[in-house]
Amino acid sequence: MKKYYLIIVAIFLLQYANAQQKNTAIQDSIVKNKDLDEVVISSSNFLEKKKNIAQKIETVSSKTIAQLNAQNTGDLLINIGKVFVQKSQQGGSSPILRGFEASRILLVIDGVRMNNAIYRSGHLQNVITTDQNSLARVEVMYGPSSTAYGSDALGGVIHLITKSPILSGNKKFFTTGTAFARYSTVNNEKTIHSDISIGGKKIAWFQAYNYSDFGDMKMGNNYSNKYPDFGRRSSYITQINGIDSVVKNSDDRVQKFSGFKQWDITQKVLFKPSNRFSHALNLQLSNSTNVPRYDRLQDTRNFGGNIGTTLRYAEWYYGPQKRLLAAYEFNMLKAGFFNEVKANINYQVIEESRQIREYRRYDIFDSQIEKVNVFGMTVSGRKLIQNHEIVIGTDAQLNKVNSTAQRTNLTTGQTSTLVTRYPDGKNNMNNVGAYIQHTYKFRNEKLVLNDGIRFQLINLTSNVLDNSIFNLPDTAVVQNNIAVNGNIGLVYSPHRNTTLRTAISSGFRAPNIDDLSKIFESNTLAQQVVVPNANLKPEYTYNIDVELSQKFLSNFTFEFTAFYCLFKNAIIKAPFKLNGQDSILFNNVKSQVQASQNVNNARLYGFNVGLNAVFLKTFNFKSSFAFTNGRYSTNKKTLSSIYEKQPNGNYAIVKRNVKSKPLDHIPPVIGKISLAYKYKKYDAELYTIYNGWKYLEDYNADGEDNAQYATQDGMPAWATANFKASVSLKKCIQLQLGVENIFDKNYRSFASGFSGAGRNFIVALRSNW
C-alpha cells in the first residue's frame, strides 16, 4: 500500500511542478548567486568558510547528488571517486577514509552522531540507512576529527546533511521540492522519491519519501583471461519438497539472493518566531526487508564426509535494518556572551538482527537481535572578538544495548537458549565531552590559524548473566577512559589563486561494547571464534597534513594533499586463550579462539591529487587520484601470519617472525576521471572509476581483508566506463539517461564478497522546482 501511495504522490508532484515557474526563478537566482565562498559546518558545528579551514574537507552538493543519480548513499560515495567503499552484500556499503573503516570513522547526520556502542571494526552497512535523495549536501572530513566530534573520528567524518524547510521570506507562501522515478536494468531496480517544502513567513514544513526495490544484482560478463570464473554464482541452495537442495544457477552472473527493499521517510518542521530564535524538529525513519548476507551465502564446507565441498548456509540474512531518529534543535543569536548558540537534543532507536541456518540443519535456525537506544545532546556557542572566532561546546551520548538470541527447531517448532552476540545483561556506554575550537584571521587576511582542544570521559558497563556456555573469566566489565585531544593548523594564501594548508591533529576511539564483549564467528574459512576481552585500551592517532591548492588562468585548479599518521594501541583480533584453551567447540565446529587486543602500533601515509579544468565554457575535465599505505610495526620480531608467494606462484599463509605486516582496511589506489559537457538544457558526463591491484602479500592474514573472496593473487585492478546525460524537457522536468559499466567489466572491490554491477542502463524522470 505504501508503495502505491508514494507513486501517487510523485505523479502529483510532477504535475504540480509545471505551475511553479515563479518559484523556479527564485531557485535559479539562488544558484546564480553562488559565487560566494563555499561554507561548511562540519569543522565547528557552525557555518564557516571552507577557505579558512586547515583540515581537508570535500563537499558534495545536492546538484551533484542528483547528477550522479546513485542507487544508495554507498554508491553515491563510490561515484564521487574519492572514497573507497567495501561491500559484503548489495544492501551494504562500508566507507574507508585513509585506511580507517567502520567504527574508526564517524558517521554524522544533521549534526547527530550515528556511531553507537555496537559499531564494529569490520565492515558496516549503516550508511545506506540514510536516503541519498533527501540530502542537501555531504561533507567528508579527512583525518582525525576528535576535537569537534570526540571518539571514533580516527580516519575522518562523513557528515550527511538532509534538506531543510525553507521559509517564504518576503512572500506569503513558498514551495520547493523534488520528485523522480528511476529504473535500472542490472538489478531491476525501481525507485520512487518525492520531497516538498512548504513555507510561510515564520513556519515551514519539509517532508520526503523514498522507496526502492532492488532485485538480484547481475555482475559483468567481461572476465579477465586469468580469472574466467571469478565471482560466478554457479549454484545456490533452495528447498525442493521441503528439503534443502543445491541447484545450478541458470545464469551464473546473477548474484542469487542479493535483492532487498528499503523505504525512508524524513519530516522536518521549522519555526522561526523572530530573527533571533528558531526551533527545528527533525524526524527520520529508515526500514528495509530482510537483507541477504551475500558473501556468507558463498561459503563452503565439507558435508556428510563426502569428498569436495558444498555451500554451507541455506539461510544467512540480516533482519530489517531499522533506524529511527528524533531531534530537536534550538538556535539563538545574540545570546549573552555568545553571538550565536545552538543546542540539539536527539534520540535514536537502532535495530539489527542476524538469521542463520546451515545446509539441511532444520533443527538449528539461529536468530540474534540487537536493539540500541541512544540519547544525545550537543550545546555550543560561537563568539566573535575582532579577528578571533571561538566555539565552545559540550556534548553527550548515552547508549543502551539489549541483546537477545534464540535457537529454533524448524521441524518441531521448539525454541531454546542461544549465546547472545553481546552480553545478555546490562550494556551501557556513555560519552561526555567538552571542547574549544578557535580560529584567528590575521590582519593581512593571508594567514588563518585553527586550533582546538577536547576533554572526553567515556564510561562503559557490560554484564553477562548466563555464563554456563563459555565460563568466561570476566562476567562484569567496567571501564572509565579519559582522553585529551587537540588540533592546530595554518591556512596561508599568499595571493588569491594559491593556498597552502598544514594541520596537526590527534584522534581517539574508546573501546565499545562490540570490541570488549562480543562473541561471534570471525572467519568461516579459518574457523575462528572471537571472545570477550575486558583489558582493552583506547586507540589513538596522531596525524599531519599538508595541502597545496593552485589555480591557473582562472579555469584550471590543481590540488595535492599528503598525510602521515601514527596509529597507537591499535585494536586487532589476535590469538587468545579462554580458560587456558586456544580452541573451543563453537557451532559444532572446533574453532581457534581469538580476542580483540591492543597488540600493535601502525604507520599510515598517503596522498591525493586532483585536477579541475574548464575550457570552451561548456566542458569540465576532472581527475582525482588517491594512494594509501599502512603497516603494523613492533620494536622486535614477532610471530605473525602473512601471505607469502610460493615457488609455484601461488600464495599461502605462513608463520614468520616479522617486525611489520600489512595493516588491514588499506584500500588500493582509487580514482576517477571525467569529462562533463553542459550547454543550455543538455548535460552529459563521460567518466571512469578505477581501482588498482591489491595483491595478497599486501593483505592482512588475521584481519578483515577477506582474502577468501578474492582471486588466488588478490583483488585485480579494474576500471569502468560510464556515461550519464540529462535533458530538460520543460523548465522543471528533466529526463536522465545513463549507462554504467559500458564494457560490462567483471570486477570486485577489495575486501568485498559481492561483485560490482555489470552493464547497467538507467532511466529517470526528475522534477525540481
Side-chain angles (χ1 to χ4, degrees):
M1 189 69 184
K2 183 179 293 184
K3 177 179 179 180
Y4 297 113
Y5 169 71
L6 292 178
I7 293 174
I8 292 171
V9 171
I11 293 173
F12 166 76
L13 290 175
L14 284 168
Q15 293 293 325
Y16 182 69
N18 293 322
Q20 300 301 315
Q21 301 300 319
K22 60 181 181 181
N23 286 342
T24 303
I26 295 173
Q27 292 295 93
D28 288 345
S29 67
I30 293 173
V31 174
K32 289 176 183 178
N33 288 331
K34 203 175 178 180
D35 297 331
L36 302 176
D37 293 319
E38 185 176 12
V39 295
V40 295
I41 66 172
S42 298
S43 61
S44 66
N45 203 30
F46 291 94
L47 290 176
E48 179 60 74
K49 292 180 181 179
K50 184 179 176 181
K51 69 176 187 178
N52 293 330
I53 300 172
Q55 189 167 2
K56 182 175 179 60
I57 300 180
E58 293 283 354
T59 60
V60 186
S61 67
S62 59
K63 182 179 179 182
T64 300
I65 294 171
Q67 288 173 338
L68 292 175
N69 202 16
Q71 293 189 4
N72 58 44
T73 307
D75 290 335
L76 169 65
L77 295 173
I78 292 172
N79 278 275
I80 295 169
K82 300 178 181 180
V83 178
F84 183 87
V85 177
Q86 182 274 352
K87 285 194 176 188
S88 297
Q89 64 274 345
Q90 185 175 191
S93 290
S94 190
I96 299 177
L97 299 179
R98 292 186 172 180
F100 292 96
E101 184 183 359
S103 59
R104 289 169 176 159
I105 65 172
L106 185 65
L107 301 180
V108 178
I109 186 163
D110 293 334
V112 178
R113 290 171 55 99
M114 293 179 64
N115 291 42
N116 57 58
I118 64 169
Y119 264 42
R120 55 190 178 272
S121 60
H123 310 297
L124 286 175
Q125 69 272 4
N126 301 69
V127 74
I128 74 163
T129 65
T130 62
D131 172 22
Q132 83 281 3
N133 297 311
S134 296
L135 295 176
R137 62 191 284 111
V138 178
E139 296 178 5
V140 181
M141 299 180 65
Y142 293 89
S145 309
S146 288
T147 304
Y149 288 99
S151 182
D152 300 356
L154 295 180
V157 174
I158 298 177
H159 194 167
L160 308 165
I161 303 163
T162 61
K163 299 175 183 178
S164 293
I166 302 175
L167 296 171
S168 62
N170 296 326
K171 295 183 175 294
K172 292 183 179 180
F173 185 73
F174 176 70
T175 64
T176 183
T178 301
F180 77 88
R182 180 179 60 227
Y183 177 76
S184 300
T185 61
V186 75
N187 57 354
N188 198 29
E189 178 226 0
K190 298 172 283 290
T191 292
I192 194 83
H193 172 90
S194 63
D195 65 66
I196 186 170
S197 171
I198 302 174
K201 291 184 177 181
K202 293 186 177 182
I203 190 167
W205 170 70
F206 173 83
Q207 187 156 357
Y209 296 96
N210 196 86
Y211 177 86
S212 294
D213 181 347
F214 303 104
D216 292 337
M217 179 73 76
K218 192 171 187 177
M219 68 185 76
N221 195 39
N222 183 5
Y223 290 84
S224 165
N225 291 333
K226 189 174 182 180
Y227 315 107
D229 299 319
F230 180 49
R232 289 186 186 271
R233 180 80 151 135
S234 59
S235 61
Y236 61 91
I237 295 175
T238 189
Q239 287 202 337
I240 301 177
N241 297 324
I243 299 175
D244 288 340
S245 304
V246 179
V247 300
K248 183 179 180 180
N249 193 356
S250 59
D251 186 345
D252 59 10
R253 292 170 54 212
V254 175
Q255 298 179 87
K256 198 72 175 177
F257 307 128
S258 60
F260 71 104
K261 300 178 179 66
Q262 179 171 323
W263 50 95
D264 302 271
I265 300 173
T266 302
Q267 292 190 356
K268 291 184 175 183
V269 178
L270 173 64
F271 175 53
K272 190 172 183 180
S274 71
N275 290 331
R276 288 187 61 205
F277 300 94
S278 70
H279 307 265
L281 181 64
N282 185 352
L283 302 174
Q284 298 177 19
L285 172 66
S286 178
N287 202 352
S288 73
T289 58
N290 295 331
V291 180
R293 177 73 186 267
Y294 182 80
D295 59 346
R296 289 299 179 95
L297 293 175
Q298 302 172 79
D299 291 346
T300 57
R301 174 182 286 178
N302 293 330
F303 179 73
N306 297 326
I307 298 175
T309 61
T310 191
L311 295 172
R312 176 178 179 181
Y313 293 106
E315 299 178 80
W316 207 128
Y317 59 86
Y318 292 110
Q321 298 177 168
K322 301 178 182 178
R323 181 182 68 88
L324 173 67
L325 166 67
Y328 163 74
E329 184 170 294
F330 170 74
N331 285 270
M332 180 179 179
L333 300 177
K334 299 178 182 178
F337 172 77
F338 295 101
N339 298 88
E340 184 178 0
V341 168
K342 180 183 294 186
N344 187 298
I345 300 174
N346 54 80
Y347 180 70
Q348 299 179 76
V349 180
I350 301 96
E351 181 177 329
E352 61 181 49
S353 62
R354 293 161 178 80
Q355 319 290 335
I356 304 170
R357 183 176 68 84
E358 294 192 356
Y359 179 58
R360 293 191 178 177
R361 292 306 304 264
Y362 314 108
D363 58 328
I364 298 178
F365 179 78
D366 290 344
S367 176
Q368 295 179 317
I369 302 175
E370 274 65 61
K371 294 183 179 180
V372 187
N373 294 271
V374 186
F375 171 78
M377 179 190 69
T378 62
V379 180
S380 53
R382 175 163 64 173
K383 176 65 176 179
L384 303 177
I385 306 175
Q386 295 180 350
N387 292 346
H388 296 271
E389 178 180 317
I390 302 171
V391 175
I392 301 175
T394 183
D395 49 47
Q397 189 190 55
L398 313 179
N399 292 254
K400 181 179 180 181
V401 179
N402 182 35
S403 186
T404 58
Q406 176 177 280
R407 174 165 288 173
T408 303
N409 186 317
L410 298 180
T411 302
T412 66
Q414 292 182 335
T415 61
S416 58
T417 59
L418 176 69
V419 60
T420 54
R421 184 175 175 87
Y422 304 109
D424 54 353
K426 182 180 179 181
N427 297 290
N428 293 335
M429 182 176 181
N430 304 321
N431 298 278
V432 180
Y435 68 94
I436 300 176
Q437 191 74 41
H438 168 247
T439 301
Y440 178 68
K441 302 163 188 174
F442 288 80
R443 295 185 183 277
N444 60 12
E445 298 184 355
K446 293 183 178 181
L447 191 63
V448 179
L449 170 69
N450 299 168
D451 58 277
I453 190 169
R454 166 181 279 265
F455 299 88
Q456 187 87 15
L457 172 65
I458 306 98
N459 168 264
L460 183 149
T461 59
S462 183
N463 297 277
V464 175
L465 299 181
D466 183 359
N467 195 31
S468 60
I469 298 177
F470 283 99
N471 295 316
L472 299 171
D474 297 304
T475 59
V477 176
V478 178
Q479 278 205 351
N480 290 288
N481 291 304
I482 298 175
V484 180
N485 287 96
N487 68 282
I488 186 169
L490 288 172
V491 181
Y492 177 56
S493 302
H495 49 79
R496 184 177 180 180
N497 293 330
T498 303
T499 302
L500 179 65
R501 308 171 195 269
T502 182
I504 300 174
S505 57
S506 63
F508 82 98
R509 189 181 78 86
N512 62 19
I513 290 172
D514 185 89
D515 297 305
L516 286 163
S517 307
K518 177 173 61 178
I519 297 175
F520 83 116
E521 188 177 45
S522 171
N523 189 320
T524 59
L525 188 67
Q527 300 304 338
Q528 298 169 345
V529 59
V530 175
V531 299
N533 177 16
N535 299 314
L536 288 180
K537 299 177 182 179
E539 302 174 303
Y540 292 89
T541 53
Y542 304 92
N543 187 87
I544 182 168
D545 271 59
V546 177
E547 180 181 358
L548 171 65
S549 177
Q550 179 68 54
K551 193 170 185 179
F552 303 94
L553 304 175
S554 75
N555 59 359
F556 180 90
T557 303
F558 168 80
E559 291 183 351
F560 176 83
T561 306
F563 75 93
Y564 182 83
C565 179
L566 294 177
F567 185 18
K568 312 288 284 187
N569 284 349
I571 297 174
I572 66 168
K573 297 176 185 66
F576 193 71
K577 287 189 177 182
L578 180 63
N579 300 321
Q581 296 182 326
D582 58 11
S583 63
I584 60 173
L585 193 67
F586 185 73
N587 287 338
N588 298 315
V589 178
K590 188 175 183 180
S591 303
Q592 180 192 30
V593 177
Q594 291 203 332
S596 297
Q597 301 172 61
N598 300 99
V599 296
N600 283 114
N601 298 323
R603 291 175 170 82
L604 300 93
Y605 61 90
F607 63 88
N608 303 72
V609 179
L611 296 173
N612 187 2
V614 178
F615 54 95
L616 301 178
K617 295 183 180 180
T618 57
F619 291 93
N620 188 189
F621 173 82
K622 292 183 179 180
S623 176
S624 63
F625 176 94
F627 168 82
T628 307
N629 194 10
R631 296 188 69 86
Y632 287 117
S633 62
T634 59
N635 293 328
K636 58 182 180 180
K637 289 186 177 181
T638 57
L639 189 64
S640 295
S641 299
I642 61 172
Y643 286 100
E644 190 174 272
K645 202 162 191 177
Q646 304 300 299
N648 61 5
N650 295 328
Y651 285 89
I653 297 179
V654 298
K655 294 284 187 178
R656 289 279 188 268
N657 284 310
V658 296
K659 278 192 172 184
S660 70
K661 64 178 181 179
L663 179 65
D664 50 352
H665 303 284
I666 301 297
V669 166
I670 65 170
K672 178 180 180 180
I673 301 173
S674 73
L675 179 63
Y677 170 81
K678 182 175 178 59
Y679 180 72
K680 294 183 178 180
K681 61 181 182 179
Y682 300 99
D683 284 272
E685 182 181 15
L686 179 65
Y687 63 95
T688 179
I689 297 175
Y690 60 89
N691 278 203
W693 258 97
K694 181 79 174 186
Y695 291 99
L696 273 190
E697 62 194 32
D698 295 321
Y699 275 60
N700 184 299
D702 300 314
E704 303 285 348
D705 288 348
N706 292 335
Q708 67 269 32
Y709 302 126
T711 71
Q712 65 267 27
D713 299 311
M715 198 63 77
W718 57 266
T720 62
N722 313 273
F723 177 76
K724 300 281 180 70
S726 67
V727 57
S728 297
L729 302 179
K730 291 187 178 181
K731 184 68 175 178
C732 305
I733 299 179
Q734 282 184 321
L735 175 65
Q736 293 182 291
L737 301 172
V739 185
E740 296 177 331
N741 196 359
I742 295 172
F743 300 111
D744 208 20
K745 176 73 175 179
N746 178 272
Y747 71 96
R748 183 175 285 185
S749 296
F750 159 66
S752 298
F754 183 75
S755 296
R759 185 183 294 117
N760 183 27
F761 294 94
I762 303 169
V763 59
L765 188 64
R766 183 182 298 268
S767 174
N768 299 281
W769 69 89

